[in-house]
Amino acid sequence: MKTKQIVLASRPKGLPTSENFRSEEVYLPAIKKGEILLKGMFYSVDPYMRGRMNDAKSYAAPYQIDQPIVGAVVALELESESNLFTSGDVVVGGLPWRETLIASEKDIRKVDVSTFRPSYYLGILGMPGLTAYFGLMQIGKPREGETVVVSGAAGAVGILVGQMAKIHGCHVVGIAGTDQKVKTLKTVFGFDEVINYKTTKDLNQAISLACPKGVDVYFDNVGGEISDTVINNINFHGRIAICGQISMYNAMDVPTGPRIQPILLTRSVLMQGFIVGNYQHIFLEGTQQLAEWVEEGKLKYTETIKHGFDNLPNALLGLFRGDNTGKMVVEA
Ligand SMILES: NC(=O)c1ccc[n+]([C@@H]2O[C@H](COP(=O)([O-])OP(=O)(O)OC[C@H]3O[C@@H](n4cnc5c(N)ncnc54)[C@H](OP(=O)(O)O)[C@@H]3O)[C@@H](O)[C@H]2O)c1
């Protein structure tokens, strides 16, 4: 059987372009025992995939040239040589960017699509939801009345962090890149204040105005100058969860910033980086809590859905242009 796939054609220097990807047709072999034939329904694009385009050692292995990009995919089962799955099942797993694909039964798990939309397993009930939950609860440890600042606030992780901090009775301040995102976060998602970092002339002043009692928890999705400025406003015994550094993912050189150690020292601040996989042993707890909040209407969810398998590279590149509000996914 023939199918379309998208491979890494070349490694980017700086910001990736569509030239770094190639679409082509390949033949799939017949499925063997323990394998399942799947049709891709929803494909996730995530900022960490940029790091995998480099030939550099990290927590996720680099993509190989001329090999398909791999990411989280929700797929429909067409045919099975496994006792664990039957045709019609909807599954999720880390799978290649192919329209039709073969997976080993070890690499996928069945999801319940009677209660939640299939794409939720790429976002709020998947890796980004768990990232927001564990980063905030295990490192940020928000307490009622405290001020929580989140950068990348309108994205998949940030939009959930802000709402979870509201659930915990905090004053929530977001930082995002368009006036429309600012408006949506305040009117739909209940953020108290949101700052447009692209148009605000004096970010330090904007943060101190939005956080009159200082910053107790900073959930950092972006790094760079935005984070330097938030950290300047951190309170005594503040907590900083380093989740992502998207402002630097395309940087060719590592920029030098202010030396923040004196702030951490004199204000007794805890700053901790984390990878969501650190919390694998308690994923079930996180997923159950997220599902409960969604069902109770305490956690609202939104997605930016691009249509068509061929749109995958453009959707991934769109994360670096700020094209998305909520989770960016591609519906095949
Ligand atoms: N530690 C972990 O295990 C883990 C897991 C998942 C995600 N992450 C990290 O968490 C962060 C958010 O991930 P996500 O999936 O929720 O992505 P996302 O926020 O949905 O998408 C990326 C957003 O980042 C913003 N952005 C892009 N370039 C920027 C820049 N130079 N400066 C400031 N903002 C920029 C854009 O929004 P604007 O319009 O606001 O610019 C864009 O919409 C990423 O850094 C990601 O790598 C970490």
Side-chain angles (χ1 to χ4, degrees), residues 153-227:
V157 174
I159 214 162
L160 299 176
V161 169
Q163 293 181 82
M164 288 177 202
K166 283 306 306 173
I167 291 172
H168 287 84
C170 299
H171 175 73
V172 174
V173 177
I175 301 176
T178 69
D179 287 344
Q180 184 56 51
K181 290 182 183 185
V182 170
K183 188 172 165 202
T184 304
L185 289 174
K186 285 171 84 165
T187 56
V188 182
F189 293 95
F191 284 56
D192 296 292
E193 300 288 345
V194 186
I195 298 165
N196 180 341
Y197 72 92
K198 287 189 179 158
T199 55
T200 300
K201 290 206 172 61
D202 186 340
L203 191 57
N204 193 54
Q205 187 186 47
I207 290 169
S208 56
L209 282 174
C211 309
K213 295 190 206 157
V215 178
D216 299 297
V217 178
Y218 175 43
F219 194 104
D220 184 9
N221 280 317
V222 305
E225 289 178 14
I226 293 173
S227 296

Side-chain angles (χ1 to χ4, degrees), residues 17-90:
T17 69
S18 55
E19 307 285 300
N20 298 124
F21 302 89
R22 189 177 66 248
S23 174
E24 59 189 26
E25 297 224 307
V26 282
Y27 282 95
L28 296 178
I31 52 172
K32 300 194 292 275
K33 187 148 182 52
E35 289 184 337
I36 298 100
L37 186 71
L38 300 164
K39 173 106 192 76
M41 297 167 71
F42 290 94
Y43 296 74
S44 185
V45 292
D46 296 278
Y48 81 93
M49 298 169 95
R50 170 63 186 88
R52 298 189 70 180
M53 296 175 79
N54 296 336
D55 189 15
K57 203 173 162 200
S58 185
Y59 63 92
Y63 297 132
Q64 297 303 313
I65 301 282
D66 297 334
Q67 293 300 313
I69 303 292
V70 174
V73 181
V74 169
L76 177 69
E77 180 162 339
L78 300 176
E79 237 181 271
S80 172
E81 285 294 333
S82 159
N83 298 330
L84 306 178
F85 300 91
T86 49
S87 68
D89 282 351
V90 176

